[in-house]
């Protein structure tokens, strides 16, 4: 099959490479593609068509069409004509029952025709309706592409890289390389994106051109041009963003200028039998001969609208192929062309009244500029009737088209949209098996707009993305409807320009994780880490979270609360600003005091909560929930972008670590680690003081989320481990133990404290979340004031209440509250409290039930369990422990 | 969206580095009716064309305003909200142009 060695061939005959094809071992050379090696080994059928399962052979040999899609190493729909040969690869045909050679589904081609017009299965298989799922299953199996192996999990890493350059050139052919060289010589940084394995484009398919291409590429590289090959420009987006698929790397290239040098896409001619194996495009033939030194047939007929076919004929003769006839449409266009075949292979071609025998039929249809990227970028496309092609115009300012892509394709003849009308099927769309008859049928059915007809017939919607069919389908449309091509217009060009794996678009699995400065201590202490937003936090330090909580009640606990958002609000108007943001008042907060605050939106939604401490006249220290820090920071700065009050904001969340020391022995511990006054008079409940803890400057907040006497210590995070270690060491004899998030949730529930987002949702408001004391209606305005007033006016419908489970049944969080047999609310939190010996929780219930002792049912498993409303804290309701 | 947006502080940035917080809304001057409040909180112009919107730059952590064509994504102008000249265009202080109440992921 191989020709004698040629000087310009791309294969290295000294280096043999083998792979398996449907179990058979195929040998090729380094420099081959899978397709060229298969072709050289005698394989002619490369796929079975989508609908009719017709045999299909190599057609474009340049990655445009879908004819050579195979499953390679389990990956379906790989175009083997551009896939380099790989030692040990496993290659299989697809969309077949049996083999590519003998596909049992090929019967659809025989039956097909009259019974399978566009949309046939929606018309034919509608009755009885309930059988449709069965029909669908059968049809889906009968038509299609490659199959993903459901169990064939692959692990592959995809990455994204951002690049910024002056110029991106899409297409590494002659025009592209010259443009790149030009730009580089002007001192611009340039990247060339070439689809093929090396730069050169159609030059490479030429006996003399290959050397020219290599020389140009070498010059370009020398001038500093970076050539990416093989690489696919997926699309062309606003302001010069060109995403490029380069192996498993997605390059997001932002360029000042984009030069599109995509060359042409050779169009097929439309005649009966134009899909037979052995009917090929000119460049495909030339590539086989000149790249890989393969003789593509024995006896050839060439049909062409321009010089491409003539050059192919020369190459074929050089390769020892007998060229029986060359039909140059510029001189004489035959009225009837019809390929004759036997068992799917071309055996001859009828030209008007003569039949010429051949086993290779070269069809050089219109040289269509590859304008799809330009159209995506917003260029208009116009039909040039004198040349039978669409030409891009009105390019966006930053985009330039050069060479054939710009329409520089000489003066080809314009073939009739359909050559010959009898014989076998004349295909317009190879990917989707749509023939001339199908399109005319659709038009006759009323699908007379190209966009509608496209969706109905699926022409241009296959894997080739219209590259080989959109010109022919529009021209056929024009000739059938009598409209001209510009009136019909082209279908919308959308990314991706060439199909790419989803993994590439999904990118690498980056999951950002935030860790506190105590992270490694938690791990050393056996903490089970869990996600809370982007934070990693210890769930608990052992199997028994209840016991961890109990230790806080009995002795002393430490919890890392560094994840709390911490924002300094500073300035002469800081108090006035917070008065406008919060429903309650902060301007009258005394220096050194703390107040709880909830942030609501103007819609009344509860967004976040935390404490606000006044550090001095003009300085407030605002804490937020662990996941709310960034959102609250943005919220505050956003409002001040409008109000322009004299306030500054500083997000110190990461700068400060925070540890809550809680339990009856906490004061004893604080007195050991600090010489400051931690007495109840020196630091009362809701006091904030600057103190020194273990020599570290610390802000101590006396607050009690967990219900026991406690101190929240905020200090520079680099000292995190030191302070933590000191507290554990000096508190050892007091029974100090760290506690995690889960015990904290038990402790806070005992106090009836709300977790925003857990016990509230987008429908919650301050009144129905039982926090009316926060609303200072006498303020002239605050964010959310109107909404809360309107809730008060319409009356309360729901109420967030505490409840006990008298029989100890444990409802699920989210479980339905049932009143009089109707769903009336839900359980938001529930835990078993060892301290109280009860199952307690919070639930949203109808407002009228919000009285101590009110009863409602919750579905637990299969039965309804009665729950009793408990207003206020379950544990230490008067707060005596907190204030002691 | 794949465009560059010029932060008044940081210059042109990839859109991923910014957060678009939606179109500029007008906060009622006086206590609104239920309908007026709902319109302010939930209704947006959603124009096909140029509108004003809020952007947050994650690099400098500052808010700015932009005029963007929602059809072409062309950002014709970006500016820092200046008190009171910009915010009083068409409305009177102190409420002025206020941030829309869009969902901030908490």
């Amino acid at each position: 099959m191989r020709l004698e060695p040629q000087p310009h061939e791309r294969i290295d005959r000294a280096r043999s490479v083998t792979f398996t094809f449907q179990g058979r071992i195929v040998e090729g050379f380094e420099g081959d593609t899978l397709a060229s090696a298969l072709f050289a080994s005698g394989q002619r059928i490369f796929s079975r068509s989508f609908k009719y399962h017709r045999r299909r052979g190599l057609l474009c040999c340049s990655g445009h069409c879908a004819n050579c899609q195979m499953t390679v190493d389990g990956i379906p729909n790989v175009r083997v004509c551009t896939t380099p040969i790989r030692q040990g690869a496993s290659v299989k045909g697809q969309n077949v029952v049996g083999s590519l050679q003998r596909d049992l589904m090929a019967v659809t081609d025989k039956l097909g025709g009259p019974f399978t017009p566009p949309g046939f299965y929606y018309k034919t298989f509608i009755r009885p309706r309930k059988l449709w799922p069965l029909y669908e299953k059968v049809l889906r199996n009968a038509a299609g592409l490659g199959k993903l192996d459901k169990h064939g999990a692959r692990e592959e890493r995809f990455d994204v890289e951002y690049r910024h350059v002056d110029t991106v050139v899409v297409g590494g052919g002659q025009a592209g390389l010259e443009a790149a060289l030009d730009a580089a010589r002007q001192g611009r940084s340039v990247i060339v994106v070439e689809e093929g394995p090396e730069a050169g484009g159609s030059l490479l398919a030429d006996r003399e051109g290959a050397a020219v291409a290599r020389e140009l590429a070498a010059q370009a590289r020398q001038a500093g041009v970076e050539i990416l090959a093989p690489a696919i420009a997926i699309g062309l987006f606003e302001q010069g963003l060109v995403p490029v698929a380069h192996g498993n790397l997605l390059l997001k290239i932002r360029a000042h200028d984009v030069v599109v040098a995509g060359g042409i896409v050779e169009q097929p001619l439309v005649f009966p039998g134009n899909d037979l194996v052995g009917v090929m495009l000119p460049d495909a033939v030339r590539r086989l001969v000149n790249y890989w030194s393969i003789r593509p047939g024995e006896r050839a007929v060439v049909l062409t609208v321009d010089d491409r076919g003539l050059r192919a004929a020369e190459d074929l003769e050089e390769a020892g192929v007998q060229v029986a006839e060359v039909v140059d449409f510029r001189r004489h266009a035959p009225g009837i062309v019809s390929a004759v075949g036997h068992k799917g292979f071309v055996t001859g071609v009828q030209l008007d009244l003569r039949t010429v025998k051949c086993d290779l039929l070269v069809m050089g249809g219109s040289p269509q500029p590859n304008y799809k990227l330009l159209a995506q970028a917003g260029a208009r496309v116009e039909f040039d009737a004198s040349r039978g092609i669409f030409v891009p115009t009105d390019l966006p300012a930053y985009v330039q088209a050069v060479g054939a892509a710009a329409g520089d394709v000489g003066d080809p003849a314009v073939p009739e949209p359909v050559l010959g009308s009898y014989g076998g099927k004349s295909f317009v769309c190879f990917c989707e098996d749509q023939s001339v008859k199908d399109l005319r049928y659709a038009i006759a059915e009323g699908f007379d707009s190209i966009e509608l007809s496209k969706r109905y017939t699926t022409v241009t919607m296959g894997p080739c993305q219209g590259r080989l069919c959109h010109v022919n389908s529009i021209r056929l449309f024009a000739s059938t409807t009598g409209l001209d091509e510009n009136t019909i217009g082209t279908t919308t060009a959308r990314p991706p320009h060439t199909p790419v794996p989803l993994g590439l678009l999904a990118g690498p699995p980056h999951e950002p994780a935030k860790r506190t400065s105590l992270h490694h201590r938690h791990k050393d202490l056996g903490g089970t880490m869990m996600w809370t937003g982007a934070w990693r936090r210890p769930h608990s330090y052992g199997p028994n979270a209840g016991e961890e909580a109990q230790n806080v009640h009995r002795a002393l606990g430490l919890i890392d609360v560094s994840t709390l958002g911490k924002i300094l609000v500073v300035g002469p108007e800081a108090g006035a600003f917070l008065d406008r943001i919060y429903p309650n008042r902060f301007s009258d907060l005394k220096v050194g005091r703390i107040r709880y605050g909830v942030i609501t939106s103007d819609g009344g939604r509860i967004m976040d909560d935390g404490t606000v401490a006044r550090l001095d006249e003009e300085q407030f220290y605002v804490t937020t929930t662990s996941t709310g820090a960034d959102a609250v920071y943005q919220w505050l700065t956003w409002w001040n972008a409008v109000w322009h009050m004299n306030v500054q904001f500083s997000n110190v969340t990461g700068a400060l670590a925070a540890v809550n020391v809680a339990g009856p022995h906490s004061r004893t511990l604080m007195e050991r680690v600090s010489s400051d006054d931690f007495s109840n008079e020196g630091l009362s409940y809701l006091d904030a003081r600057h103190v020194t803890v273990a020599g570290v400057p610390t802000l101590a907040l006396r607050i009690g989320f967990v219900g026991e006497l406690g101190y929240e210590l905020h200090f520079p995070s680099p000292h995190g481990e030191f302070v933590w270690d000191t507290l554990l060491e000096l508190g050892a004899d007091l029974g100090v133990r760290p506690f995690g998030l889960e015990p904290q949730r038990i402790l806070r529930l005992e106090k009836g404290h709300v977790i925003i987002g857990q016990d509230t949702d987008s429908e919650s408001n301050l009144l129905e979340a039982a926090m009316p004391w926060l609303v200072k209606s006498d303020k002239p305005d605050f964010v959310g004031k109107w909404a809360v007033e309107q809730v008060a006016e319409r009356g309360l419908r729901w109420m967030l209440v505490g409840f006990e489970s008298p029989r100890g049944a444990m409802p699920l969080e989210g479980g339905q509250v049932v009143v009089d047999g109707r769903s009336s609310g839900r359980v938001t939190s529930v835990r078993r409290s060892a301290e109280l010996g009860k199952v307690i929780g919070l639930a949203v219930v109808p407002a009228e039930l919000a009285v101590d002792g009110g009863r409602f049912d919750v579905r637990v498993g299969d039965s309804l369990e009665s729950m009793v409303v408990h207003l206020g804290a379950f544990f230490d309701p008067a707060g005596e422990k907190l204030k002691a | 969206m794949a465009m560059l947006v010029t932060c008044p502080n940081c210059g042109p940035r990839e859109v991923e580095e910014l957060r678009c917080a939606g179109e500029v809304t007008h906060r009622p001057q006086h206590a609104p009716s239920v309908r007026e409040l709902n319109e302010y909180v939930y209704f947006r112009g959603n124009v096909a064309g140029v509108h004003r919107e809020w952007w947050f730059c994650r690099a400098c952590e500052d808010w700015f305003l932009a005029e963007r064509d929602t059809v072409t994504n062309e950002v014709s102008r970006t500016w820092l909200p200046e008190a009171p000249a910009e915010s009083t265009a068409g409305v009177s202080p102190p409420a002025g142009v206020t941030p829309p109440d869009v969902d901030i992921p908490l």
Side-chain angles (χ1 to χ4, degrees):
Chain A
M1 275 319 296
R2 299 272 186 184
L3 306 168
E4 289 300 302
Q6 309 180 90
H8 50 267
E9 70 185 15
R10 295 195 47 213
I11 45 172
D12 180 353
R13 299 192 191 224
R15 295 166 68 192
S16 145
V17 181
T18 56
F19 62 94
T20 61
F21 172 67
Q22 313 207 129
R24 154 169 87 88
I25 290 176
V26 176
E27 188 177 355
F29 301 114
E30 195 69 41
D32 262 321
T33 60
L34 290 172
S36 66
L38 280 170
F39 196 96
S41 79
Q43 184 67 28
R44 288 293 175 272
I45 304 169
F46 279 74
S47 64
R48 286 286 180 156
S49 70
F50 185 75
K51 191 159 103 179
Y52 299 125
H53 292 255
R54 286 167 71 98
R55 296 167 176 87
R56 293 275 164 85
L58 289 182
L59 176 61
C60 77
C61 234
S62 49
H64 290 311
C65 72
N67 269 24
C68 68
Q69 289 196 142
M70 292 188 179
T71 298
V72 179
D73 292 334
I75 305 173
N77 310 328
V78 175
R79 288 169 164 81
V80 295
C81 75
T82 51
T83 307
I85 192 168
R86 197 161 61 231
Q87 181 67 38
S90 162
V91 182
K92 293 189 178 85
Q94 54 189 37
N95 192 29
V96 290
V97 176
S99 70
L100 283 176
Q101 252 58 30
R102 283 177 53 81
D103 177 8
L104 300 178
M105 290 305 295
V107 67
T108 53
D109 190 27
K110 297 277 185 303
L111 297 174
F115 299 111
T116 55
F120 80 96
Y121 43 86
Y122 296 119
K123 296 169 181 166
T124 314
F125 295 94
I126 49 172
R127 287 200 183 80
R129 273 196 90 78
K130 62 180 174 200
L131 275 186
W132 169 249
L134 176 68
Y135 292 146
E136 190 186 23
K137 207 170 168 190
V138 172
L139 290 165
R140 289 273 178 259
N141 273 328
L145 302 164
K147 284 196 174 55
L148 264 183
D149 180 359
K150 280 181 199 158
H151 308 291
R154 278 182 292 125
E155 236 179 76
E156 246 179 287
R157 190 182 164 79
F158 294 93
D159 264 311
V160 180
E161 195 176 303
Y162 292 83
R163 302 286 295 273
H164 293 259
V165 290
D166 294 323
T167 307
V168 164
V169 180
V170 180
Q174 185 163 5
L177 288 174
E178 282 171 356
L181 201 49
D182 253 14
R185 284 183 176 151
Q186 288 165 34
R188 301 172 70 80
S189 53
V190 186
I191 293 180
V192 172
V193 181
E194 164 58 38
E195 276 193 343
E198 69 174 296
S202 62
L203 278 178
L204 292 175
D206 193 84
R207 269 170 295 155
E208 279 78 43
V212 178
R214 269 164 211 152
E215 174 57 26
L216 258 177
Q219 279 181 28
R221 282 205 180 86
Q222 209 160 23
V225 174
E226 184 182 351
I227 299 175
L228 300 173
I232 297 161
I234 300 170
L236 184 44
F237 296 90
E238 301 110 312
Q239 291 164 323
L241 179 69
V242 188
V244 173
H246 186 41
N248 280 7
L249 186 64
L250 177 69
L251 290 129
K252 290 191 177 174
I253 308 176
R254 181 73 72 172
H256 194 264
D257 302 304
V258 179
V259 179
V260 175
I264 61 163
V265 179
E266 296 190 312
Q267 298 299 304
L269 295 164
V270 182
F271 54 85
N274 62 346
D275 73 324
L276 292 171
V277 178
V279 181
M280 296 172 83
L281 296 165
D283 268 7
V285 169
R286 301 187 74 207
R287 278 168 211 262
L288 287 175
V289 173
N290 295 324
Y291 267 37
W292 299 299
S293 297
I294 295 170
R295 185 182 300 124
E298 298 305 321
R299 187 179 151 90
V301 170
V302 177
L303 314 173
T304 188
V305 300
D306 61 9
D307 288 344
R308 285 172 300 128
L310 306 187
R311 289 196 294 263
E314 280 171 30
D315 288 345
L316 286 170
E317 277 181 339
E318 190 77 15
V321 178
Q322 184 195 352
V323 178
E325 186 143 349
V326 177
V327 182
D328 187 340
F329 281 48
R330 290 171 297 188
R331 296 164 65 184
H332 167 72
I336 294 170
V337 176
S338 182
V340 185
H342 177 65
K343 291 198 164 170
F345 289 80
V346 68
T347 55
V349 59
Q350 186 189 349
L351 301 166
D352 291 328
L353 300 174
R354 299 175 299 126
T355 299
V356 185
K357 284 198 164 167
C358 63
D359 63 351
L360 175 63
L361 177 57
V362 181
M363 55 169 175
S366 299
Q368 172 55 49
N370 193 352
Y371 70 77
K372 291 273 175 174
L373 274 180
L374 297 166
Q376 266 181 36
R380 227 159 40 78
V381 181
E382 248 175 30
F383 189 67
D384 178 350
S386 68
R387 298 192 291 169
I389 53 171
F390 287 91
V391 182
T393 62
D394 296 352
L395 305 186
Y398 65 92
V399 181
Q400 200 191 338
V402 296
D408 184 11
V409 296
D411 284 305
V414 183
E416 286 299 313
V418 180
L419 302 158
S421 52
Y422 61 93
K425 298 181 177 86
S426 304
F427 285 92
V428 179
C429 176
F430 290 75
C431 301
E432 301 284 303
D433 261 357
Q434 294 297 317
S435 66
V436 169
K437 206 188 218 169
D438 293 326
L439 252 75
R440 289 192 170 145
Y441 191 98
I443 295 165
E445 281 194 290
F447 293 92
D448 53 2
S449 128
I450 188 73
E451 289 284 359
L452 284 180
S453 157
K454 160 184 158 180
R455 283 157 179 77
Y456 186 53
T457 62
T458 66
V459 70
T460 74
M461 286 169 70
C464 93
Q465 292 284 286
R467 288 179 190 208
L468 265 69
C469 55
H470 90 279
V471 179
N472 285 332
S473 61
I474 292 167
R475 294 196 58 214
L476 173 64
F477 214 79
S479 69
T480 308
T481 58
L483 299 169
D484 79 81
E485 285 83 351
N486 280 321
T487 311
I488 291 163
T490 58
T491 53
T492 309
R494 292 186 179 88
H497 183 246
T498 299
V500 290
L502 280 175
L504 197 72
L505 303 180
H510 285 314
E511 187 148 25
K514 291 185 181 176
R515 292 172 176 164
T516 74
S517 57
L518 295 169
H519 185 79
H520 296 289
R521 285 294 184 269
H522 303 320
K523 301 205 90 164
D524 293 345
L525 289 164
T528 318
M529 304 309 278
M530 62 182 276
W531 289 103
T532 56
W535 288 104
R536 304 285 286 145
R537 300 190 69 182
H539 169 274
S540 54
Y541 296 87
N544 195 337
E547 199 182 293
E548 249 170 61
Q550 280 293 77
N551 191 58
V552 176
H553 286 306
R554 298 277 165 275
L556 188 52
L558 287 190
I559 181 168
D560 176 10
V561 290
S562 306
T563 56
L564 291 174
K566 310 170 199 83
I567 301 167
L568 278 171
V569 180
V570 184
E573 292 187 287
F577 174 83
L578 294 175
D579 280 355
R580 281 181 159 194
I581 289 287
Y582 285 90
N584 50 344
R585 196 173 267 117
F586 289 97
S587 54
D588 65 352
L589 186 65
K590 290 196 172 62
V591 171
R593 291 292 289 164
I594 300 167
R595 206 168 268 169
Y596 175 69
V598 172
I599 293 179
T600 61
S601 69
D602 258 337
R605 184 168 55 89
I606 296 173
M607 294 169 56
D608 203 79
D609 71 345
T611 56
V612 179
R614 188 165 205 165
L615 304 183
D616 63 38
E617 275 307 315
E618 299 193 356
Q619 190 165 189
F620 290 83
Y621 185 71
V622 175
T623 66
T624 77
T625 61
S626 292
T627 47
D630 291 340
V632 171
Y633 178 78
Q634 288 181 24
W635 182 252
L636 300 181
T637 52
W638 191 1
W639 282 99
N640 207 40
V642 178
W643 292 336
H644 291 280
M645 296 174 78
N646 194 352
V647 194
Q648 305 289 320
F649 305 89
S650 186
N651 188 348
V652 294
T653 301
L656 299 181
V659 174
N660 187 13
V661 182
H665 300 327
S666 54
R667 182 171 291 127
T668 312
L669 178 58
M670 291 318 299
E671 283 165 349
R672 289 182 187 177
V673 294
S674 173
S675 54
D676 289 287
D677 184 1
F678 277 84
S679 71
N680 202 23
E681 296 69 39
L683 190 66
S684 308
Y685 182 57
L686 296 181
D687 271 355
R689 288 281 183 285
H690 285 294
V691 296
T692 303
V693 172
V696 174
T698 299
L699 176 65
L701 308 176
R702 188 169 161 199
I703 47 184
F705 188 53
V706 296
E708 292 287 348
L709 171 68
Y711 303 92
E712 207 171 87
L713 308 175
H714 294 240
F715 52 90
S717 50
H719 301 300
E721 293 184 346
F722 173 69
V723 171
W724 176 267
D725 292 346
T726 307
L727 291 168
L728 282 181
E729 198 185 315
L730 297 185
D733 62 311
L734 302 172
V736 67
R737 274 169 54 192
F739 65 104
L741 213 51
E742 176 56 24
Q744 184 184 245
R745 287 191 169 170
I746 298 171
L747 292 165
R748 69 93 197 177
L749 195 56
E750 291 169 351
K751 289 297 289 178
H753 286 154
V754 166
I755 295 178
I756 304 297
Q758 162 99 21
D759 302 302
T760 67
D761 61 20
S762 61
E763 297 295 303
S764 305
N765 57 69
L766 285 173
L767 301 185
E768 291 174 329
M771 297 191 262
W773 81 90
L774 285 174
V775 182
K776 302 295 174 208
S777 303
D778 57 329
K779 289 199 291 181
D781 190 14
F782 62 82
V783 179
K785 182 172 196 256
W786 303 318
V788 82
E789 283 171 353
Q790 289 181 3
V791 170
E793 205 172 302
R794 72 146 155 82
L796 304 183
R797 294 170 184 163
W798 304 100
M799 192 59 79
L800 183 68
V801 297
F803 69 86
E804 292 178 15
S805 178
R807 301 204 311 151
M810 188 92 170
L812 290 175
E813 289 184 346
Q816 270 187 6
V817 168
V818 181
V819 177
D820 296 334
R822 293 176 58 192
S823 168
S824 310
R826 67 194 166 86
V827 173
T828 62
S829 289
V830 64
R831 286 291 184 279
R832 186 181 304 281
S833 162
E835 179 68 17
L836 303 168
K838 284 175 187 166
V839 169
I840 54 171
L842 293 174
V844 174
V845 300
E848 60 272 19
L849 286 180
V851 287
D852 251 328
R855 284 184 172 268
F856 60 90
D857 290 340
V858 176
R859 186 164 287 285
V860 182
D862 288 335
S863 60
L864 285 178
E865 287 288 339
S866 182
M867 303 291 158
V868 181
V869 172
H870 178 108
L871 298 183
F874 298 96
F875 175 77
D876 186 24
E880 283 155 6
K881 287 175 185 281
L882 284 178
K883 293 169 191 165
Chain B
M1 281 195 184
M3 70 282 201
L4 296 172
V5 178
T6 303
C7 166
N9 296 322
C10 307
R13 314 289 298 195
E14 295 286 343
V15 74
E16 288 99 329
E17 296 181 43
L18 307 158
R19 171 189 155 206
C20 179
E23 68 184 67
V24 162
T25 54
H26 296 269
R27 194 165 187 256
Q29 299 292 294
H30 309 285
S33 67
V34 172
R35 173 173 288 272
E36 284 164 350
L37 183 64
N38 280 341
E39 279 181 8
Y40 154 61
V41 171
Y42 298 111
F43 285 23
R44 295 294 176 268
N46 196 27
V47 298
V50 177
H51 79 168
R52 284 185 179 195
E53 59 194 9
W54 282 103
W55 285 79
F56 179 75
C57 176
R58 297 186 203 277
C60 66
E61 303 210 305
D62 216 349
W63 287 94
F64 62 92
L65 290 153
E67 271 176 8
R68 179 174 64 95
D69 189 320
T70 59
V71 177
T72 63
N73 276 346
E74 194 187 326
V75 179
S76 45
R77 193 161 80 95
T78 57
W79 69 100
L80 292 172
E82 285 293 333
E86 282 298 341
S87 61
T88 54
V91 273
S92 50
V97 178
T98 64
D101 179 19
V102 298
D103 283 353
I104 295 188
L106 285 173

